[in-house]
Amino acid sequence: MTRRVLAMMTVLLLLLSGCASGSGSGASQGGGIRLDGVEVREYKGEKLGSVNDFRENSIKGPQVVDAATYRLAITGLVDTPKEYTYSQVTSDHAAYEKVVQLDCVEGWSVRVLWSGVLVNDLIQEAGAKSTANTVIFRAADGYSTSLPLTYIRDNDILLAYKMNGVTLPTERGFPFQLVAQDKWGYKWIKWVTEIELSSDTAYEGYWESRGYTNSGDRDKPSLGR
Ligand SMILES: Nc1nc2c(c(=O)[nH]1)N[C@H]1C(S)=C(S)[C@@H](COP(=O)(O)O)O[C@H]1N2
Ligand SMILES: [Mo]
């Protein structure tokens, strides 16, 4: 009990001192630079879940991705196909943060602070052709999922490289997990390697082709069509 109170006070002190607030890529509202490795557990007065609250049930287990050789490809219906290194994604693009909850169809949820780049910023650099209306995401484990281009644009959907201020651990999808807010967990693809612009609105990803809804809307049942 006393140990818990002490731990809470330490976190509070860290937050107050500013060294645990703000964006990892530079200055923040608090003016401090958040040091990687210190998990943020409260954001604007809201208690957050933890990196350790997620369950690992990926189709082939955690994928170990080497940041040095990693590439993110933007392909399909684009004017200029792109290939980014890890640091080109994280350092050459504006950073955004938001608190979003992931809900798995298996009945668990975690709400954390995500930091990342806008998927739409990457798409805009490649230049989506006017016929593109679907975004297909592929990952290092062969997993895939898709979402409407309008959903990606209208909701400022993030490709996250940090949660609670900490670089995504291997289990959480390093280097990138899609923050598919308002969608079931199976849309939150981890270990993303490719973003393909497509006109195939009927494309079905890994779980979608196994009976889960293609919309993946969190406010609707996940099974059936
Ligand atoms: N590449 C890949 N991404 C994936 C999965 C997967 O098996 N492979 N599983 C999805 C499912 S069903 C859920 S609920 C979330 C869970 O995220 P977590 O493993 O970080 O808890 O990841 C999603 N992203
Ligand atoms: Mo899930």
Side-chain angles (χ1 to χ4, degrees):
M1 186 60 191
T2 359
R3 202 180 284 176
R4 259 181 65 182
V5 171
L6 261 169
M8 278 172 66
M9 284 176 72
T10 311
V11 170
L12 233 130
L13 273 169
L14 276 168
L15 284 167
L16 286 171
S17 69
C19 66
S21 67
S23 144
S25 52
S28 66
Q29 318 102 294
I33 291 172
R34 185 190 298 142
L35 300 173
D36 205 5
V38 181
E39 190 184 0
V40 176
R41 295 301 307 279
E42 194 179 314
Y43 187 74
K44 295 183 178 168
E46 185 190 354
K47 266 210 148 292
L48 299 173
S50 165
V51 169
N52 302 312
D53 293 343
F54 291 80
R55 311 225 186 126
E56 196 359 86
N57 57 359
S58 306
I59 56 164
K60 289 182 183 163
Q63 303 293 302
V64 179
V65 174
D66 181 0
T69 54
Y70 171 84
R71 296 290 183 275
L72 174 66
I74 318 292
T75 65
L77 298 174
V78 292
D79 297 327
T80 319
K82 296 273 182 187
E83 212 176 64
Y84 299 106
T85 64
Y86 177 67
S87 65
Q88 281 172 338
V89 176
T90 56
S91 306
D92 299 352
H93 295 90
Y96 295 85
E97 289 190 330
K98 53 177 146 182
V99 173
V100 187
Q101 179 167 311
L102 181 154
D103 301 279
C104 176
V105 299
E106 292 186 325
W108 53 272
S109 305
V110 187
R111 192 171 168 82
V112 293
L113 171 66
W114 302 92
S115 317
V117 300
L118 293 181
V119 175
N120 196 45
D121 280 356
L122 302 174
I123 290 174
Q124 273 202 302
E125 281 178 7
K129 293 193 187 293
S130 57
T131 47
N133 55 21
T134 302
V135 188
I136 300 170
F137 297 85
R138 294 195 179 81
D141 56 353
Y143 192 88
S144 70
T145 192
S146 65
L147 288 157
L149 180 55
T150 49
Y151 162 83
I152 300 284
R153 283 183 174 150
D154 297 350
N155 297 288
D156 293 330
I157 295 306
L158 290 186
L159 189 64
Y161 46 80
K162 286 186 179 186
M163 57 170 70
N164 287 354
V166 178
T167 298
L168 291 192
T170 291
E171 292 75 15
R172 298 282 73 75
F174 179 86
F176 302 114
Q177 179 170 29
L178 189 71
V179 181
Q181 61 190 71
D182 306 324
K183 303 288 185 184
W184 287 109
Y186 60 87
K187 294 284 180 183
W188 294 56
I189 185 169
K190 304 189 282 186
W191 309 293
V192 181
T193 54
E194 184 184 349
I195 299 174
E196 180 192 333
L197 277 290
S198 164
S199 59
D200 182 7
T201 54
Y203 178 89
E204 289 181 344
Y206 185 89
W207 284 119
E208 292 89 335
S209 67
R210 286 161 176 80
Y212 288 91
T213 63
N214 214 5
S215 82
D217 287 335
R218 172 63 188 86
D219 58 0
K220 299 189 191 92
S222 59
L223 280 166
R225 53 194 71 209

